[in-house]
Amino acid sequence: MAQAERSPANEDLAQIRESVRALCAKFPGEYWRDLDRERAYPTEFVAALTQAGFLAALIPEEYGGSGLSMTAAAAIMEEIQASGCNGAACHAQMYTMGTLLRHGSAAQKARWLPAIASGELRLQAFGVTEPTSGSDTLNLRTTAVREGDHYIINGQKIWTSRAEHSDLLLLIARTTPREAVTRRSDGLSVFLVDMRLAQGTGISIIPIRTMMNHATTELFFDDLRVPAENLIGEEGQGFRYILSGMNAERILIAAECIGDAKWFIAKATGYAKERIVFGRPIGQNQGVQFPIARAYAQMRAAELMVGAAAALYEAGRECGAEANMAKLLAADASWAAADMCLQTHGGFGFAEEFDVERKFRETRLYQTAPISTNLILSYLAEHVLGLPRSY
Ligand SMILES: Cc1cc2nc3c(=O)[nH]c(=O)nc-3n(C[C@H](O)[C@H](O)[C@H](O)COP(=O)(O)OP(=O)(O)OC[C@H]3O[C@@H](n4cnc5c(N)ncnc54)[C@H](O)[C@@H]3O)c2cc1C
């Protein structure tokens, strides 16, 4: 659960949104298209966001961050996407540091957070998913065995995004064998791995080429030595720490989906007004108007849930159901808007220069990651509606 958070009452959200839009305007469609073709990382874009302080939005001021509320952080991510940019290149920095902030020791926070806030250190990588266990996180097999003042890590992660562009990796590994714990969720621990020291000495990073430009990778650990002082919180309690950060992750990704939906709706509306077929704008046909209007209504409804989840989070109240529903509804809204936008553009929707096909590929991810839609539905069924546990 979130600690008492900053309230948006004393923040100028309109000003924050305007500043993000102004920054994003310097990174137009051509910039993203070139990177997409090469599957290259948007280094300049991420550097600009970092310099402007946007990626340190949720880091408290005492550690050099902006100390903004979740509502403001969500507004930042939404505006990035609504401007046609891709916040997936750096969104993890915003929510991954929450584990360190909430569960790290005073010494760890003092050591890492100011450097993350200033951009000197990038904490963009989050290693949870493994090839054999997938969504069943409690079944993960990567192990961390204590040897003196180090842990020795062996195993494999998959889909660890941005690992090649991050200095630090937040890693979850098993410290007690599954058979030796009483509760299923015990025995996992979280480490902050300094990848600058680790590369070539126990960690290999293999890029995975995907349908969109996402800088995702596979990681192999072979007797990687991590200093024991890099263990976050208590040994064996890591799953609880990771879970507590997931509400923030869900809310921020939902906000990105809202931004995507806004981009698709604006793009489709503009095109429907300008494209003349049969001697009139295509947008004059109800068959073209209605899907745009429906996508708009769906986006606005999802936006309300994102706002509700962020407000609960800020108030330090339980928000698991709302954060999950926000992610589900916003991902559905962005995907519906993407499909509508492609259809509105006819053949031109498939042409790279319109950016529609790129954003269409990018927003599709959120039906699957960071949690797939089915897993959210089963959470709601079991924890909110009291239906029997299905797995
Ligand atoms: C581009 C990309 C980037 C990613 N980045 C990261 C990252 O940075 N860090 C990280 O740790 N992970 C990352 N992931 C992993 C992502 O979180 C997982 O892909 C996602 O959680 C689904 O797990 P899986 O792929 O193993 O699917 P599986 O668990 O194998 O599931 C496959 C399908 O079966 C369904 N399914 C499985 N079990 C059930 C069930 N009990 N009931 C109903 N349906 C079920 C799922 O919903 C899914 O549709 C990324 C993934 C991608 C594709």
Side-chain angles (χ1 to χ4, degrees):
M1 198 57 244
Q3 76 276 28
E5 299 287 337
R6 274 288 290 269
S7 135
N10 53 355
E11 293 165 353
D12 188 343
L13 285 179
Q15 175 60 46
I16 292 171
R17 287 181 181 272
E18 184 49 43
S19 308
V20 177
R21 278 199 291 272
L23 185 152
C24 290
K26 296 180 192 145
F27 299 91
E30 300 91 286
Y31 173 77
W32 296 100
R33 259 171 262 147
D34 287 348
L35 295 171
D36 187 61
R37 251 176 244 127
E38 303 297 325
R39 292 291 191 272
Y41 189 72
T43 306
E44 304 78 9
F45 174 69
V46 176
L49 281 177
T50 307
Q51 266 165 25
F54 291 128
L55 296 186
L58 293 174
I59 298 181
E61 281 160 307
E62 59 178 305
Y63 297 111
S66 327
L68 295 175
S69 67
M70 178 54 72
T71 299
I76 292 168
M77 295 319 298
E78 181 198 309
E79 288 300 337
I80 290 173
Q81 300 304 115
S83 304
C85 299
N86 190 1
C90 49
H91 54 196
Q93 177 128 343
M94 269 208 193
Y95 51 73
T96 307
M97 69 79 210
T99 303
L100 173 62
L101 182 63
R102 278 187 299 273
H103 306 291
S105 66
Q108 286 170 331
K109 289 193 263 193
R111 178 175 171 201
W112 303 107
L113 285 176
I116 294 168
S118 72
E120 188 193 328
L121 285 179
R122 299 162 301 170
L123 172 52
Q124 295 288 2
F126 188 26
V128 179
T129 312
E130 298 191 359
T132 50
S133 48
S135 303
D136 185 6
T137 307
L138 294 179
N139 237 338
L140 62 80
R141 293 185 185 175
T142 296
T143 54
V145 176
R146 180 94 190 226
E147 247 184 53
D149 54 3
H150 280 76
Y151 282 88
I152 313 296
I153 314 249
N154 279 290
Q156 187 183 350
K157 294 283 170 185
I158 194 168
W159 307 120
T160 311
S161 302
R162 303 161 297 273
E164 295 168 295
H165 305 281
S166 190
D167 303 302
L168 303 172
L169 160 73
L170 195 74
L171 176 75
I172 183 158
R174 183 160 284 291
T175 35
T176 308
R178 212 178 152 170
E179 315 74 70
V181 293
T182 35
R183 276 190 308 181
R184 263 160 43 90
S185 52
D186 284 349
L188 299 173
S189 302
V190 171
F191 299 89
L192 201 55
V193 177
D194 191 333
M195 309 237 283
R196 298 164 305 167
L197 305 175
Q199 283 207 48
T201 59
I203 186 168
S204 331
I205 308 179
I206 313 287
I208 305 176
R209 205 176 154 90
T210 52
M211 71 187 249
M212 68 292 175
N213 184 17
H214 200 86
T216 197
T217 70
E218 200 166 4
L219 300 183
F220 294 88
F221 306 101
D222 182 13
D223 286 337
L224 170 69
R225 289 171 66 78
V226 174
E229 65 191 28
N230 289 25
L231 171 75
I232 307 281
E234 256 182 76
E235 190 186 288
Q237 296 300 308
F239 186 69
R240 202 165 52 82
Y241 303 154
I242 295 281
L243 270 191
S244 80
M246 283 186 174
N247 289 333
E249 180 186 65
R250 308 263 196 276
I251 295 168
L252 289 172
I253 294 211
E256 287 183 52
C257 291
I258 298 296
D260 277 345
K262 287 186 177 176
W263 185 90
F264 287 119
I265 291 163
K267 189 89 175 168
T269 307
Y271 189 74
K273 285 180 190 161
E274 282 165 19
R275 171 74 170 163
I276 309 290
V277 182
F278 296 112
R280 59 187 184 164
I282 57 167
Q284 203 176 329
N285 303 300
Q286 289 188 329
V288 174
Q289 287 178 359
F290 285 6
I292 306 177
R294 184 179 291 279
Y296 179 75
Q298 196 175 344
M299 176 277 291
R300 289 299 307 273
E303 190 178 34
L304 292 176
M305 186 58 83
V306 178
L312 286 172
Y313 183 95
E314 276 152 15
R317 291 175 53 196
E318 175 54 46
C319 64
E322 287 75 12
N324 273 293
M325 287 189 283
K327 159 70 173 55
L328 173 81
L329 297 173
D332 281 354
S334 76
W335 181 232
D339 194 42
M340 171 283 291
C341 187
L342 191 71
Q343 195 66 16
T344 305
H345 279 75
F348 288 112
F350 296 84
E352 270 184 12
E353 65 172 294
F354 282 76
D355 293 313
V356 175
E357 60 82 36
R358 172 179 62 81
K359 292 281 281 183
F360 178 92
R361 286 182 281 118
E362 287 170 359
T363 211
R364 179 62 179 79
L365 175 65
Y366 300 117
Q367 293 288 329
T368 299
I371 179 170
S372 84
T373 301
N374 277 2
L375 272 286
I376 295 183
L377 291 171
S378 71
Y379 172 88
L380 295 174
E382 183 186 336
H383 296 283
V384 180
L385 302 174
L387 289 164
R389 187 176 173 82
S390 63
Y391 59 89

